[in-house]
Amino acid sequence: ISEEVSSEGYYGGGVRFIETKNTFVFCDTRDVVGMAYIDKATGEVFPSCNIPGCTHPDESSAPLCGAICDHFTAYTLCYSPETGRVYYFRKENIFGPKEKQGNVLYSFDIDNMDLTVREHYRLPLDIRVESMKYSDGKLYFGYDHTDENGNLGFKIDSYDTMTHTVENVIRFDHDGIEFTVIGDDLYYEDSNGVISRYRISSGETEV
């Protein structure tokens, strides 16, 4: 596993892995959807939750159980070596009151084994985050976006893990964008297979 897993993650067979300082955290989207981690030192597997008596990850779990995830969580799993936290999006209260529904950015401190789940940011439930990347203290998450004229596109926002602020990075006028971020550069591939570099600070694009 260690040869195939990186901070970008490895996904195969319904399981997505990311590597952290002391563990491999994974989201299993097969029969029973849930999140857990592998201790690098011992090879033991544990659910990513330390709430006493929690029945993770079934429906009777504690609301902020860290082992709860959904099929789309796997595509958003990220690790920040600066904060020592694992970040991910998860749908919340799908069948509950509308005011409590949402697609929520959560995290827990995997480096210090404090698996208490913290909420950071909330999107409407109908927004599905397609992908999330981490670079230099920020999370970059992309999702399909319909503008005020009804035109479908793809939007990438950033969440600063230190200041807890959200900013729009770029919006494309079509969906189906694959991207990654390295420092100030956002590399993306459009639906035609063309790879371009977008300089975040200046807004300049280079094919």
Side-chain angles (χ1 to χ4, degrees):
I1 265 182
S2 62
E3 295 177 355
E4 297 182 350
V5 177
S6 69
S7 59
E8 280 290 308
Y10 167 75
Y11 187 79
V15 183
R16 167 89 189 280
F17 291 89
I18 59 169
E19 184 174 9
T20 72
K21 181 180 178 181
N22 302 309
T23 70
F24 294 112
V25 178
F26 64 95
C27 183
D28 191 340
T29 63
R30 294 174 296 181
D31 296 334
V32 178
V33 179
M35 201 180 322
Y37 67 89
I38 303 170
D39 187 306
K40 286 183 180 179
T42 66
E44 294 180 279
V45 180
F46 301 95
S48 51
C49 172
N50 54 13
I51 300 174
C54 185
T55 57
H56 41 250
D58 65 28
E59 293 179 357
S60 59
S61 306
L64 292 182
C65 167
I68 297 177
C69 62
D70 57 50
H71 285 81
F72 301 108
T73 298
Y75 300 100
T76 65
L77 209 55
C78 286
Y79 168 67
S80 164
E82 289 85 1
T83 65
R85 304 184 74 85
V86 169
Y87 297 86
Y88 57 97
F89 273 93
R90 186 180 83 194
K91 293 187 181 296
E92 195 73 20
N93 293 307
I94 297 175
F95 302 109
K98 191 169 184 178
E99 64 273 11
K100 293 186 178 181
Q101 294 178 351
N103 198 357
V104 186
L105 176 62
Y106 287 117
S107 76
F108 53 80
D109 186 346
I110 191 67
D111 282 3
N112 293 308
M113 285 299 157
D114 179 0
L115 303 180
T116 305
V117 174
R118 179 187 300 174
E119 178 179 332
H120 297 277
Y121 183 61
R122 183 176 288 260
L123 287 165
L125 184 64
D126 59 351
I127 292 181
R128 188 180 83 186
V129 177
E130 304 281 350
S131 178
M132 186 162 71
K133 307 295 182 182
Y134 177 83
S135 181
D136 291 351
K138 291 185 177 182
L139 297 162
Y140 295 85
F141 53 96
Y143 53 93
D144 290 343
H145 177 264
T146 303
D147 66 16
E148 61 274 10
N149 297 316
N151 300 311
L152 178 63
F154 189 82
K155 190 177 180 183
I156 299 176
D157 292 340
S158 68
Y159 175 84
D160 191 309
T161 59
M162 298 301 176
T163 64
H164 310 294
T165 54
V166 176
E167 295 180 349
N168 174 236
V169 176
I170 188 173
R171 185 187 185 279
F172 301 91
D173 59 6
H174 51 83
D175 58 359
I177 298 291
E178 299 288 340
F179 73 95
T180 192
V181 182
I182 302 174
D184 190 42
D185 294 325
L186 186 151
Y187 297 88
Y188 65 92
E189 180 178 1
D190 64 20
S191 56
N192 296 316
V194 177
I195 298 175
S196 302
R197 181 180 69 178
Y198 175 75
R199 184 62 54 88
I200 297 170
S201 59
S202 66
E204 298 175 347
T205 299
E206 178 183 296
V207 177

